[in-house]
Amino acid sequence: MVAQDDSAPTSIGATVRARIAAALGPVDAELARRYPGDPGTRQPVHTVYVPADAFGARTVREWGRQALDALDAHAPDAGVLAAALGLPAGAAAEVYDRVRAKLVREPVEDLRVDFEDGYGPRPDDEEDAAAVAAARLIARAVARGGAPPYAGIRAKCLEAAVRDRGIRTLDLFLTALLRAGGGTLPAGLVLTLPKVTYPEQVSAMAALLGEFERVHGLAAGRLGFEIQIETTQAILGADGRATVARMIDAAGGRATGLHYGTFDYSAACGVSAAHQSMDHPVADHAKAVMQVAAAGTGVRLSDGSTNVLPVGGTAQVHAAWRLHYGLVRRSLARAYYQGWDMHPGHLPTRYAAVYAFYREGLDAACARLTAYAGRAGGSGGAVLDEPATARALSGYLLRGLDCGAVDEPEVTDRTGLGRTELDTLAGRRPRG
């Protein structure tokens, strides 16, 4: 409520202001519905895709072990990793130690058991069994405390040729997961809908999840899903209209993420195999459209992957690591805070890139945020940052905290701000 000063003369009366408020009421409601802001939850820094037939109880631990083995073999100390990746000398030791600790503690932040391209067509009874087995394994890992923070499946898409198979796999997985969890679904459950071309396919996915909720008495909206942007029609429709925002709307509030599919999308644009990459101009265009469409909606973005694997001799591994590290750093600078990792050997450079990104900017971000908070509190400040920049600075620090790149005492000591204050400055919704 704006304070009223009756002694100050005005020209626009209360009746007019009320009429304007009434006219804009629907717009206010629409803005609140479509643009609720950041969901206030942790976003994983990557998604690991594992074909359903290769997924087992030890998959996550094996990825961590293989990643550590790769470090031991090809970067046994911080100096070697720094030389291979071009890490700043001052940050190398801290980054290296944190990467090793992460690979022991939590090597995978987001796991997707893949029933689509990585799995391919199988006999129905084989895919049925794999869907149920994946659900039981995830439920068991959650119960024992060994599951990644986020986990779920990518079923086949809703195109006619594989629609029934995709729906059945999704249904089998969710039903088995619910039963294995004693009627409760894991908090970190994530579902991925691939190869979307029309908003109607998104609406259909939302309807399927709504029906599952109804049948099992779950809260409406409990199940959300990611939309994979892998087709040109997902960016520009046949009618010449941009598609991404329409797909977000078609999800009815269930869309949680937009994931860029590097190789399917590049191929659809006619890019030859040798030039299909996350940094190709067609990729940058698609992701820019995704970014603008998702801004303010609470729908998060994920970049794609590289298919250059860090295998072979040390020189070959270092070359693949440099490529991956550079692509991840490029994505982070462009505000794509998540990506896909296709091989255990990508984990060291995923975390090295992420940790270096947040640690290198820690002091500067804290100093600017401290100056802003001081000025907002009336004590002035040397940096003329605006609220929008303060939101970005706070969000940057929160992401660093979420992934383990920085520790809360490091931020609090530099800024005097705790997580609650950072959440408020970042515009994140209150945590439940």
Side-chain angles (χ1 to χ4, degrees), residues 104-181:
V104 172
R105 181 184 74 255
E106 187 182 74
V108 174
E109 292 196 358
D110 184 24
L111 172 70
R112 205 71 72 253
V113 183
D114 190 21
F115 288 87
E116 204 232 355
D117 283 349
Y119 185 71
R122 305 291 180 101
D124 283 338
D125 58 349
E126 183 178 340
E127 185 160 341
D128 285 356
V132 173
R136 290 173 177 168
L137 285 169
I138 290 174
R140 190 179 308 152
V142 170
R144 293 176 177 176
Y150 299 93
I153 67 165
R154 177 173 72 169
K156 291 176 174 63
C157 70
L158 292 179
E159 293 177 351
V162 294
R163 182 182 302 141
D164 287 345
R165 179 64 262 180
I167 292 172
R168 180 170 175 80
T169 296
L170 178 69
D171 190 0
L172 284 167
F173 173 79
L174 288 174
T175 301
L177 188 65
L178 190 66
R179 289 179 177 175

Side-chain angles (χ1 to χ4, degrees), residues 72-235:
D72 290 337
H74 304 292
D77 57 50
V80 177
L81 188 66
L85 303 181
L87 287 171
E94 184 71 34
V95 167
Y96 187 83
D97 289 345
R98 285 177 182 266
V99 168
R100 291 196 69 93
K102 179 74 167 181
L103 294 175
V104 172
R105 181 184 74 255
E106 187 182 74
V108 174
E109 292 196 358
D110 184 24
L111 172 70
R112 205 71 72 253
V113 183
D114 190 21
F115 288 87
E116 204 232 355
D117 283 349
Y119 185 71
R122 305 291 180 101
D124 283 338
D125 58 349
E126 183 178 340
E127 185 160 341
D128 285 356
V132 173
R136 290 173 177 168
L137 285 169
I138 290 174
R140 190 179 308 152
V142 170
R144 293 176 177 176
Y150 299 93
I153 67 165
R154 177 173 72 169
K156 291 176 174 63
C157 70
L158 292 179
E159 293 177 351
V162 294
R163 182 182 302 141
D164 287 345
R165 179 64 262 180
I167 292 172
R168 180 170 175 80
T169 296
L170 178 69
D171 190 0
L172 284 167
F173 173 79
L174 288 174
T175 301
L177 188 65
L178 190 66
R179 289 179 177 175
T184 302
L185 293 171
L189 173 64
V190 189
L191 306 171
T192 305
L193 178 65
K195 292 183 175 55
V196 181
T197 52
Y198 280 77
E200 289 81 359
Q201 293 167 328
V202 176
S203 298
M205 181 68 165
L208 288 169
L209 298 182
E211 176 64 9
F212 186 88
E213 291 165 351
R214 186 193 67 78
V215 168
H216 293 283
L218 300 176
R222 166 65 183 85
L223 292 168
F225 60 98
E226 302 163 337
I227 302 167
Q228 262 194 297
I229 306 299
E230 301 178 273
T231 69
T232 56
Q233 295 89 346
I235 297 296

Side-chain angles (χ1 to χ4, degrees), residues 376-425:
S379 61
V383 181
L384 192 59
D385 281 327
E386 296 186 356
T389 308
R391 285 197 297 273
L393 291 166
S394 302
Y396 171 86
L397 294 174
L398 285 165
R399 288 180 183 279
L401 289 168
D402 285 343
C403 70
V406 300
D407 302 322
E408 191 164 349
E410 292 183 290
V411 176
T412 302
D413 289 347
R414 288 167 169 83
T415 64
L417 303 171
R419 285 208 66 128
T420 301
E421 293 88 351
L422 290 173
D423 281 335
T424 299
L425 284 169

Side-chain angles (χ1 to χ4, degrees), residues 274-363:
H275 297 284
Q276 293 175 0
S277 175
M278 294 156 59
D279 59 358
H280 192 282
V282 301
D284 285 341
H285 171 259
K287 288 180 287 189
V289 174
M290 292 162 57
Q291 193 168 44
V292 172
T297 65
V299 177
R300 269 116 175 224
L301 300 175
S302 175
D303 209 335
S305 61
T306 176
N307 59 359
V308 178
L309 304 183
V311 296
T314 294
Q316 186 176 349
V317 169
H318 282 187
W321 274 354
R322 280 192 296 273
L323 174 66
H324 186 237
Y325 177 86
L327 288 171
V328 175
R329 287 297 300 257
R330 184 180 190 272
S331 297
L332 291 168
R334 286 158 174 76
Y336 313 130
Y337 298 112
Q338 186 176 351
W340 300 2
D341 288 325
M342 312 299 286
H343 187 274
H346 285 142
L347 299 186
T349 38
R350 169 67 62 181
Y351 293 121
V354 170
Y355 289 176
F357 178 76
Y358 290 111
R359 293 208 64 81
E360 288 170 15
L362 175 62
D363 288 337

